[in-house]
Amino acid sequence: MEIGLHDAGDRRAERRIRQAGRRPLIISASYRTDLPAFHGPRFLGQLDAGLATVRNPYSGKDYRVSLAPDDVDGFIFWTRNAKPFRAGLARARKTAPFIVQYTVTGYPAMLETGVPPAAHAIAEIRRIVSDHGPGTVVWRYDPVIWTNLTDADFHRRNFAQMADRLSGLVDEVTFSAATLYAKSKRNLKRHAAGLAVDDPDDNRKKALLHELAEMAVERGMAPTLCSQPHLLTGPLKPARCVDAERLQRVGGSRFRAKAKGNRPGCDCAESRDIGTYDSCAHGCLYCYAVSDHAKVRERLRAATSSAPVQSGPAFD
């Protein structure tokens, strides 16, 4: 599909629209890891080289993704801590517009052993919006997980408090109900043996998601749901995490974007991800992208010649 916005006089964008058959490229960086928090220097090196070499997580074969300015329509950054990546955002913006999918959940440390406090993340969101303009950040309250520490009452209070602080900074919040994959169940059992994890039926999930969505609307945020059409309810709309329309609004230019989700129920535009699984040290026990959090931390320590990777909530 072609998504048209106001004519911003961007000759480069207009030229690309006219190039019949050109395959657009949105770079996802990355839903496989927290690239801004842990792999910013590597990304900057890739930008300088104009190329990222990525290993396919299924075949094990390497593939190349061009990061040359003429080949990139935009970046989607996924993070819980963008502070180490301030220079990366500024550098990426010289290549193409970007969106930051910023996860802030405020869950107990038992569930997220190395995640910055919500106040840290909210302050960084404020800085990004101030530096790079409105629309550049989408808040992710994702996943919504039901445990004896995070029941429905917890989520109502927790979400409302953060939504009050983010009102006026973000115009969209994305939810999902936690899907507990086998590796997530193993990590929860191994590292949080005393935690009682619940997997409510769809009606209970929809009831809470509906309430949270209504809270979002009251605070001027569009509530969206990631890849779970069976749980859509009330004001919730399908999320487009790789959002070509938002990229075009942020960048003020136009390009062709093909809808091509990553899994059933996904409404994202086509993108190429340049991240690697098992390389995020935030320690979120429910995470689908990490098999063994301790091994990840050790690998990152070994690869870092300076201070060890942060493994607890000690953030300034």
Side-chain angles (χ1 to χ4, degrees):
M1 66 180 170
E2 181 174 342
I3 306 169
L5 297 179
H6 64 281
D7 183 3
D10 189 322
R11 294 182 180 178
R12 174 167 161 256
E14 295 291 351
R15 184 172 66 251
R16 286 187 291 176
I17 288 174
R18 291 194 297 269
Q19 289 175 348
R22 177 189 175 274
R23 185 175 181 178
L25 195 62
I26 298 173
I27 303 299
S28 169
S30 155
Y31 56 74
R32 298 171 183 165
T33 189
D34 193 327
L35 184 151
F38 300 111
H39 306 288
R42 182 168 183 262
F43 173 78
L44 289 174
Q46 292 170 330
L47 268 188
D48 289 341
L51 184 71
T53 300
V54 187
R55 176 149 297 183
N56 186 300
Y58 306 105
S59 69
K61 296 180 179 179
D62 289 344
Y63 61 90
R64 293 183 174 184
V65 178
S66 174
L67 300 182
D70 285 344
D71 293 329
V72 177
D73 290 321
F75 295 99
I76 310 294
F77 295 109
W78 311 71
T79 192
R80 286 177 172 268
N81 183 14
K83 185 174 181 178
F85 198 60
R86 289 175 183 172
L89 291 178
R91 174 69 176 80
R93 187 178 177 183
K94 294 179 180 179
T95 298
F98 68 79
I99 298 166
V100 180
Q101 292 278 343
Y102 213 124
T103 300
V104 193
T105 53
Y107 290 169
M110 180 182 287
L111 282 168
E112 303 174 340
T113 59
V115 172
H120 171 102
I122 292 169
E124 201 58 32
I125 289 174
R126 185 178 299 278
R127 181 185 294 272
I128 293 170
V129 173
S130 175
D131 289 349
H132 300 287
T136 49
V137 178
V138 174
W139 175 25
R140 301 187 73 86
Y141 191 77
D142 162 48
V144 178
I145 185 168
W146 283 258
T147 74
N148 59 316
L149 297 180
T150 57
D151 60 9
D153 285 340
F154 167 88
H155 285 297
R156 293 185 192 103
R157 295 190 305 270
N158 186 51
F159 179 79
Q161 290 169 1
M162 290 191 292
D164 284 341
R165 299 179 66 183
L166 286 166
S167 179
L169 292 176
V170 300
D171 58 14
E172 179 181 349
V173 57
T174 298
F175 303 98
S176 74
T179 301
L180 298 179
Y181 297 96
K183 65 178 69 174
S184 306
K185 293 179 180 178
R186 286 196 303 269
N187 282 325
L188 284 163
K189 185 176 180 179
R190 181 185 308 158
H191 300 291
L195 189 71
V197 181
D198 188 16
D199 186 17
D201 62 33
D202 285 354
N203 287 334
R204 285 176 58 202
K205 290 177 180 177
K206 289 173 73 173
L208 178 58
L209 290 169
H210 192 150
E211 287 187 69
L212 301 182
E214 293 283 4
M215 293 181 189
V217 171
E218 291 170 1
R219 292 158 176 82
M221 302 175 193
T224 58
L225 188 67
C226 183
S227 301
Q228 294 176 321
H230 63 292
L231 295 179
L232 287 170
T233 178
L236 279 171
K237 303 298 182 186
R240 290 180 297 183
C241 307
V242 179
D243 190 340
E245 287 189 14
R246 182 177 290 270
L247 277 172
Q248 292 179 83
R249 290 197 301 270
V250 168
S253 61
R254 296 180 292 168
F255 56 86
R256 297 181 188 276
K258 178 182 179 182
K260 186 178 180 182
N262 297 308
R263 53 179 171 158
C266 177
D267 280 7
C268 286
E270 184 177 15
S271 66
R272 299 298 297 276
D273 198 277
I274 60 171
T276 304
Y277 287 118
D278 288 305
S279 63
C280 177
H282 281 316
C284 303
L285 298 185
Y286 48 77
C287 181
Y288 67 87
V290 177
S291 299
D292 190 315
H293 296 281
K295 288 183 179 179
V296 170
R297 286 194 292 267
E298 288 304 316
R299 279 201 300 271
L300 289 177
R301 284 192 184 101
T304 305
S305 58
S306 56
V309 172
Q310 191 69 259
S311 59
F315 299 87
D316 55 22

